[in-house]
Amino acid sequence: MERLRRNPELQAWLLLAIPAAFLLIFFMAPLVIVFVYSFLERGKYGGVEWVFTLENIRRVFDPLYFKTFVRSFYIAIVTTLITLILGYPLAYYIANSPPSRRNALVFALMIPFWTNFLIRTYAWLTLLRTHTGLINVTLLNWGLIQKPLPLFGNDFAIILGLVYGWLPVMVLPIYAALERLDRSLLEAARDLYASSFYAFRRVTWPLSIPGVVAGSMLVFIPSLGAFVTPAILGGGKSLMIGNIISNQFLGAHDWPFGSALSMVMMIAMLIATLIYFRWTTSSEIAT
Amino acid sequence: MSIETPELAYHERWERIKARFGSWGLTTYGILAFAFLYLPIVILILFSFNESRSVSKWTGFSLRWYGEMLKDDKIMISMWNSIFLAVVSTAIATVLGTLAALGLERYSFRGKTAVDSMFYLPVIIPDIAMAIMLLLFFNMSGIGFTPWKVSLFGVKLAVPYSVIIGHVAFNISFVAIVVRARLAQMDRTLEEAAQDLYANTWQTFRRVTLPMLMPGILGGALLAFTLSLDDFVITFFTSGAGFNTLPVRVFGMIKKGVTPKINALSTLMLAVSLSLVVISILLRTRSGDEESVQMGF
């Protein structure tokens, strides 16, 4: 007991032992299994044969699958850009509201975010469907269009669903950065006859970059790994890498290839994140 | 303070006009953005009250679909499954996450960076990757997916241990992050005061640290509960045959065909999420003016 009190390192490990062991067994070990499976041969009836092969990794770069990879990247990048363009002014608006209204607006932002993602995606399904969706039905009824618009089962629907789903996640960190911003800096800029645009560009924007980076990462990663949105709004035609992965486990029973796909996806995410961080920190210094 | 020249006065007036239009434009944008966030949900709720089978043509008000939802045994079982799963996984994740937060925030030790990163990983990893990781793990280790059949006080329960483990695995990290944030803000002088008054480590923790930490722990638990209720992907891949939660059931229903019954079920789930958000806000505002903690020595 006396030794425990004197030894903070022992105390720390005592506190961390169970949670760390839990994650080691049920998170890190599964991660290692996926890594190992990527290099094994496919078993006859699902499962694996313990034979080393690079075939799965090679197949990931087969044009058939690699095309989906590139498309998923494209969808994730476009989604991140649109949420940033839509989210920044919204965060700015909330941060510049009177303090009494600010909390209510953040609350209003939280409600859609805490609404089940599946439900929010389903809501768009009922709006976008080609022949029975609310938007096309209404526009046809009003005679504004002759043919239903192609709103569903394509990249547009997926990007819209993702933007809708992840917009609050972009807004919150930017808002947090803007709210912390020292207003006297802006006043100083204005006193020195900086135009409002110039003051924004040289003061507000650089100081909000940490929020922009955090928000972009929080949108980009789940967008790249999206499964629910393309499954529902892609209409079975427009797929992303998450769907190809799930197909290897639910349909094709090709676990090693599914593992290889998710390994490459995670590594690609890691690389994209690192490049993005490098890029934003260097541009922060430049301004 | 400005020097009054006609040119500057003009400049200043122009800037003021710009600022007014700017703020007007910003408010308009804010309203539009919130409309974008809320309209789909409002329309979804509206059509849960539709009389006919359509979710895009309004034919009249009816509670028919709510009735059908309540009569659907599969939905009701999924609902109890969801609640049971959320309660159990939240309880475990809250205890483990709080322990981890204390260990990581209060101590420095060799290899801390590695342990730190391990606790952040489940938050950033895409859920599809985590889902298939767990699927392979349960399969390979022979642990399997079949829920335990337990009889507790005459009530037959199916305990989906594989799903519980999956939910705890991602929720530990979320709880740890929330509790750590609270720990980082906490004033340590009270703990030092307690120690100066010869409280031992356990007494200090029990009487000072824990009460002060409670809002953070409750906040973390609430987050874990919501995430567990909402999770679809990890549940979908780690549950054995015959175990469905509400989101898994909803996904299956959507795949089969769209009816206002899904809207009714969505509205119900929305109401639950909304009340959880309200509880969390109330917790946060109450803990705000309760910074001073009563110490029951």
Side-chain angles (χ1 to χ4, degrees):
Chain A
M1 211 51 209
E2 191 57 31
R3 245 181 60 213
L4 178 65
R5 193 179 337 178
R6 295 250 181 85
N7 189 345
E9 191 149 325
L10 197 63
Q11 287 176 17
W13 281 113
L14 227 61
L15 285 166
L16 282 167
I18 301 172
F22 190 96
L23 282 191
L24 272 178
I25 298 170
F26 297 117
F27 185 81
M28 296 312 281
L31 193 62
V32 172
I33 291 174
V34 168
F35 181 76
V36 172
Y37 268 36
S38 313
F39 298 101
L40 295 179
E41 264 177 26
R42 171 188 185 174
K44 275 204 186 79
Y45 312 99
V48 285
E49 299 285 340
W50 284 85
V51 182
F52 177 83
T53 174
L54 287 171
E55 175 61 15
N56 303 307
I57 309 287
R58 195 199 58 76
R59 262 177 81 200
V60 173
F61 295 96
D62 190 311
L64 182 66
Y65 299 103
F66 197 65
K67 232 171 37 197
T68 314
F69 240 106
V70 174
R71 264 209 32 243
S72 304
F73 254 92
Y74 157 77
I75 288 175
I77 290 170
V78 173
T79 301
T80 311
L81 281 176
I82 297 176
T83 40
L84 179 60
I85 293 166
L86 293 179
Y88 198 99
L90 184 57
Y92 192 85
Y93 163 68
I94 298 175
N96 283 292
S97 304
S100 55
R101 207 189 304 155
R102 237 180 268 162
N103 283 337
L105 289 174
V106 172
F107 177 60
L109 195 68
M110 293 295 281
I111 295 172
F113 180 60
W114 286 127
T115 304
N116 193 306
F117 195 84
L118 202 61
I119 290 174
R120 286 184 291 158
T121 313
Y122 168 71
W124 278 105
L125 174 78
T126 68
L127 297 176
L128 295 177
R129 279 193 305 170
T130 316
H131 296 288
T132 44
L134 184 76
I135 296 174
N136 272 330
V137 166
T138 313
L139 290 177
L140 283 168
N141 274 353
W142 289 349
L144 288 172
I145 51 170
Q146 260 60 52
K147 277 194 308 214
L149 300 170
L151 301 172
F152 179 72
N154 49 27
D155 291 358
F156 167 79
I158 296 176
I159 291 171
L160 180 57
L162 288 172
V163 167
Y164 181 75
W166 298 110
L167 184 61
V169 176
M170 178 66 90
V171 176
L172 283 174
I174 300 177
Y175 162 75
L178 288 174
E179 204 230 16
R180 269 200 304 270
L181 191 134
D182 187 354
R183 253 140 240 286
S184 58
L185 288 175
L186 278 177
E187 280 163 28
R190 300 305 303 263
D191 283 347
L192 295 165
Y193 301 106
S195 70
S196 45
F197 176 74
Y198 195 74
F200 173 81
R201 216 189 83 70
R202 298 307 293 266
V203 181
T204 313
W205 172 252
L207 287 172
S208 64
I209 280 181
V212 172
V213 172
S216 304
M217 285 337 301
L218 290 172
V219 174
F220 178 76
I221 290 175
S223 300
L224 186 57
F227 166 69
V228 169
T229 315
I232 293 177
L233 296 177
K237 287 170 286 178
S238 215
L239 293 176
M240 286 176 73
I241 202 68
N243 310 94
I244 308 278
I245 293 174
S246 88
N247 285 346
Q248 304 311 314
F249 291 91
L250 301 178
H253 289 293
D254 193 343
W255 295 1
F257 184 50
S259 304
L261 281 168
S262 14
M263 273 320 287
V264 174
M265 178 183 80
M266 285 190 274
I267 292 168
M269 271 174 194
L270 195 68
I271 294 171
T273 312
L274 290 177
I275 292 173
Y276 184 66
F277 267 112
R278 183 66 56 81
W279 178 61
T280 44
T281 40
S282 64
S283 67
E284 203 173 351
I285 295 161
T287 43
Chain B
M1 286 293 269
S2 60
I3 314 151
E4 281 299 329
T5 66
E7 204 178 304
L8 264 180
Y10 171 78
H11 175 80
E12 214 155 77
R13 205 182 311 144
W14 175 234
E15 277 292 322
R16 218 174 293 148
I17 290 167
K18 247 182 15 190
R20 185 168 307 159
F21 270 92
S23 80
W24 184 81
L26 201 59
T27 310
T28 316
Y29 178 76
I31 293 166
L32 286 176
F34 276 109
F36 170 66
L37 284 174
Y38 276 86
L39 260 179
I41 297 175
V42 171
I43 293 170
L44 178 86
I45 297 173
L46 195 70
F47 278 100
S48 72
F49 298 106
N50 201 9
E51 205 180 5
S52 73
R53 242 189 129 70
S54 168
V55 290
S56 50
K57 269 197 195 111
W58 181 256
T59 49
F61 180 86
S62 142
L63 287 173
R64 167 186 168 196
W65 300 104
Y66 285 89
E68 295 222 356
M69 175 182 79
L70 294 174
K71 268 187 290 183
D72 191 327
D73 285 341
K74 283 180 180 168
I75 289 181
M76 289 300 118
I77 292 169
S78 315
M79 189 178 80
W80 289 116
N81 281 344
S82 272
I83 294 171
F84 177 71
L85 173 64
V87 169
V88 174
S89 65
T90 301
I92 302 171
T94 306
V95 174
L96 296 186
T98 305
L99 286 175
L102 285 164
L104 289 170
E105 190 64 32
R106 284 291 163 89
Y107 298 92
S108 58
F109 48 88
R110 270 164 291 161
K112 189 178 170 186
T113 329
V115 181
D116 234 352
S117 341
M118 183 173 79
F119 276 92
Y120 277 112
L121 265 181
V123 174
I124 48 174
I125 206 160
D127 43 12
I128 183 76
M130 189 150 170
I132 64 124
M133 272 161 54
L134 288 162
L135 172 83
L136 289 182
F137 173 79
F138 288 125
N139 192 284
M140 189 193 170
S141 62
I143 296 175
F145 309 92
T146 325
W148 287 325
K149 297 271 186 282
V150 183
S151 190
L152 200 72
F153 306 116
V155 184
K156 284 207 179 88
L157 278 174
V159 184
Y161 57 87
S162 55
V163 191
I164 293 174
I165 288 172
H167 282 214
V168 173
F170 67 78
N171 270 334
I172 284 184
S173 302
F174 282 99
V175 173
I177 288 172
V178 174
V179 176
R180 276 183 83 169
R182 175 83 193 171
L183 267 171
Q185 291 170 354
M186 247 165 66
D187 185 3
R188 294 200 68 172
T189 48
L190 279 174
E191 286 166 87
E192 282 158 19
Q195 305 236 292
D196 286 346
L197 295 166
Y198 301 106
N200 63 31
T201 314
W202 169 248
Q203 284 170 326
T204 313
F205 176 76
R206 176 72 193 78
R207 299 288 176 91
V208 183
T209 317
L210 195 61
M212 280 172 79
L213 203 54
M214 222 43 199
I217 296 173
L218 285 176
L222 218 53
L223 179 64
F225 193 78
T226 319
L227 290 172
S228 179
L229 272 187
D230 277 1
D231 175 70
F232 162 69
V233 178
I234 289 165
T235 314
F236 188 60
F237 282 90
T238 54
S239 58
F243 182 83
N244 280 309
T245 60
L246 271 186
V248 176
R249 170 74 44 203
V250 169
F251 187 74
M253 286 166 82
I254 294 172
K255 286 277 157 193
K256 259 191 228 151
V258 171
T259 65
K261 194 156 116 183
I262 307 177
N263 294 46
L265 185 52
S266 303
T267 307
L268 178 81
M269 289 163 75
L270 221 144
V272 174
S273 307
L274 187 65
S275 27
L276 287 171
V277 181
V278 172
I279 293 170
S280 80
I281 301 278
L282 287 179
L283 265 172
R284 210 178 309 160
T285 44
R286 219 190 48 192
S287 69
D289 47 46
E290 216 181 59
E291 282 297 328
S292 55
V293 181
Q294 307 123 332
M295 275 175 293
F297 275 121

